[in-house]
Amino acid sequence: MSFLPNIVFAILLCIGGGFFIYNIRKLIRNIRLGRPEVVTDHKHERLKNMLRIAFGQQKMLVRPIVAVLHLIVYAGFLIINIELLEIIIDGLTGSHRIFASLGSWYYYLITAFEGLALLVIIAVITFWIRRNILKLSRFQKTELKGWAKKDANNILYAEMVMMSLFLLMNAADTQLQALHAPHYVSTGAFGISQYIVPLLQHASVPTLIAIERSCWWLHIIGVLCFLNYLYYSKHLHILLAFPNTYYASIRPLGALKVNPTVTREVKLMLDPTADPFAAQGTTPLEKFGASDVADLTWVQLMSAYTCTECGRCTDECPANLTGKKLSPRAIMMKTRDRLEEVGKNIDKHGKFEDDGKQLLGDYITAEELWACTTCNACAEACPVSISPVSIIMELRQYSVMEQSAAPTELNAMMTNIENNGAPWAYSQSDRAQIVNI
């Protein structure tokens, strides 16, 4: 018996697993570039949110048909890949269908997997039609051109091919069992693949073995490639949706965080006995808001990687619906793109070397920032609890407090508040006067 296939399998498994671990370590490093944020409170509520939103996919139910299709693909990814345990054991030991000893339980298990595989194929075809033939509006936005569009289709093609390989492999296996080919354990025909068997009835044993082995190898290679493709794809949410929904803000939507630096400065101004220079000491002044990804929190950076690019946020955004340049989805995609660029800079130089770019201005424009109404419709619609508004508000704060670059209308309002105690352009003493119009 040749051990070459087992050795090749072990090498492929080590390469695929090793590269996946390398990418995950790089992902964690990039996320940790963000500012610290304490999210260890309300553990019970956070766990409930994760189970309800990420695992239960509650927010997807707003669109029931799409929710069911997505649930099928989601379940297919989680459940069918349980079969990988058998494939890995067979690949390393040289056995064939090692769990076939479970008898009728094995038959029902594989038949259930096949039924799910068929449903996944149907769901994936439906998703492909929605994107490429029906051309739903949220899949035709500017930010989904080029790689973003190819990425979505690549995953659909990969899912379709892997599920088809699974069914064809079982069909060839069933026919080999009927022909009493050596090494092929008798399990009987399975629920779905048995309908493919007639197409293989006239094939010889060597041909059937070639089909079965080719499907087996292509399936496992496809899984390893898919696993490592995740880092470069929007489908990273398969892994990050769970931590993202757990660590997401549990405050009511619209309740913005208090900036501790601003709080400290206000307290200093209100305390006539305080010496601001003594309070500062040798500590450098903190930046107000954010101008680049390192100024955001690690939770916000994780959210950028978690974005599914589904476009539900942009679909609900009133600014976008009225023709403004703002797209909440684009905010998350641009944040991720900048974070990836910073990560590559660190890979190249060992540490970050100033590249003359930043998130604010080079990726996200002032026009986008100030088009936001902070209504939080995007956060409400997001199926994985992402809040683009939190990033927008950090960038706005930097623009106003560090660059004095607020829009003219906002500057006028703040001047009125400073001079008149109200946003209107007349003094407090005139408020009680009746104005004849």
Side-chain angles (χ1 to χ4, degrees), residues 392-431:
I392 289 173
M393 294 306 293
E394 294 271 9
L395 297 175
R396 276 186 179 182
Q397 191 173 72
Y398 179 85
S399 296
V400 173
M401 302 189 73
E402 295 278 354
Q403 296 183 318
S404 299
T408 304
E409 297 83 358
L410 186 57
N411 278 330
M413 182 192 72
M414 290 190 292
T415 300
N416 289 332
I417 291 175
E418 181 179 359
N419 295 332
N420 305 321
W424 302 286
Y426 49 84
S427 67
Q428 298 180 42
S429 60
D430 295 334
R431 292 182 192 172

Side-chain angles (χ1 to χ4, degrees), residues 258-276 279:
V258 175
N259 189 314
T261 306
V262 175
T263 302
R264 188 181 67 247
E265 293 294 319
V266 171
K267 287 181 177 179
L268 285 173
M269 287 190 296
L270 295 177
D271 184 0
T273 63
D275 182 355

Side-chain angles (χ1 to χ4, degrees), residues 53-54 57 59-60 245 308 310 312 379-386:
I53 299 173
Q57 301 190 51
K59 286 192 172 184
M60 295 290 292
T245 50
T308 70
C310 64
R312 286 173 174 80
E380 179 69 35
C382 180
V384 288
S385 299
I386 293 172

Side-chain angles (χ1 to χ4, degrees), residues 115-133:
L116 195 53
L118 180 61
L119 290 175
V120 168
I121 292 173
I122 294 171
V124 164
I125 291 174
T126 304
F127 284 140
W128 186 90
I129 291 173
R130 282 160 53 86
R131 281 181 175 272
N132 299 282
I133 296 179

Side-chain angles (χ1 to χ4, degrees), residues 31-32 34-37 39 247 296-302:
I31 291 174
R32 284 179 173 173
R35 292 188 291 105
E37 182 171 10
V39 282
Y247 290 117
L296 300 173
T297 69
W298 68 268
V299 175
Q300 290 170 318
L301 297 186
M302 181 172 65

Side-chain angles (χ1 to χ4, degrees), residues 6 41 67 76 89 159 237 249 261 332 338 341 343 372 379 408 418:
N6 309 92
D41 58 335
I89 294 174
E159 289 274 5
H237 72 270
S249 173
T261 306
M332 303 313 299
R338 174 56 182 165
E341 185 177 48
C372 178
T408 304
E418 181 179 359

Side-chain angles (χ1 to χ4, degrees), residues 102-351:
L102 295 173
S104 59
W105 284 102
Y106 185 77
Y107 167 79
Y108 291 122
L109 189 64
I110 299 299
T111 296
F113 287 174
E114 287 193 347
L116 195 53
L118 180 61
L119 290 175
V120 168
I121 292 173
I122 294 171
V124 164
I125 291 174
T126 304
F127 284 140
W128 186 90
I129 291 173
R130 282 160 53 86
R131 281 181 175 272
N132 299 282
I133 296 179
L134 298 180
K135 296 183 182 292
L136 298 187
S137 60
R138 63 189 171 99
F139 298 132
Q140 308 305 315
K141 301 291 184 180
T142 306
E143 65 266 21
L144 281 192
K145 304 299 182 184
W147 165 250
K149 183 175 182 179
K150 291 179 182 177
D151 174 40
N153 284 329
N154 287 344
I155 293 293
L156 296 178
Y157 297 143
E159 289 274 5
M160 198 182 311
V161 169
M162 283 194 288
M163 296 301 107
S164 299
L165 288 172
F166 173 62
L167 295 174
L168 182 57
M169 176 185 72
N170 286 348
D173 196 302
T174 300
Q175 184 62 8
L176 285 165
Q177 294 173 37
L179 297 174
H180 304 290
H183 193 59
Y184 285 86
V185 182
S186 178
T187 59
F190 299 115
I192 304 299
S193 60
Q194 64 177 320
Y195 297 105
I196 306 176
V197 172
L199 301 176
L200 305 173
Q201 282 183 339
H202 302 293
S204 64
V205 170
T207 301
L208 289 169
I209 291 176
I211 293 173
E212 191 274 336
R213 288 289 85 190
S214 295
C215 290
W216 188 91
W217 280 102
L218 288 173
H219 183 77
I220 187 62
I221 291 172
V223 169
L224 291 174
C225 289
F226 180 86
L227 188 66
N228 286 289
Y229 180 74
L230 287 180
Y231 177 81
Y232 307 96
S233 167
K234 73 187 186 72
H235 283 74
L236 196 54
H237 72 270
I238 293 173
L239 303 177
L240 293 182
F242 296 94
N244 195 77
T245 50
Y246 181 86
Y247 290 117
S249 173
I250 57 175
R251 295 186 302 276
L253 290 180
L256 300 177
K257 290 188 299 183
V258 175
N259 189 314
T261 306
V262 175
T263 302
R264 188 181 67 247
E265 293 294 319
V266 171
K267 287 181 177 179
L268 285 173
M269 287 190 296
L270 295 177
D271 184 0
T273 63
D275 182 355
F277 298 102
Q280 179 186 335
T282 57
T283 305
L285 291 173
E286 294 184 38
K287 180 187 290 186
F288 293 104
S291 62
D292 210 348
V293 289
D295 303 322
L296 300 173
T297 69
W298 68 268
V299 175
Q300 290 170 318
L301 297 186
M302 181 172 65
S303 291
Y305 275 121
T306 308
C307 179
T308 70
E309 297 179 15
C310 64
R312 286 173 174 80
C313 54
T314 298
D315 233 16
E316 299 292 333
C317 176
N320 187 273
L321 291 173
T322 54
K324 305 295 192 301
K325 189 176 180 181
L326 173 65
S327 166
R329 172 174 54 190
I331 295 294
M332 303 313 299
M333 292 174 67
K334 290 174 180 180
T335 302
R336 183 178 60 208
D337 289 345
R338 174 56 182 165
L339 183 54
E340 273 294 288
E341 185 177 48
V342 170
K344 291 176 181 176
N345 184 304
I346 295 173
D347 291 338
K348 182 178 179 180
H349 300 102
K351 63 177 182 178

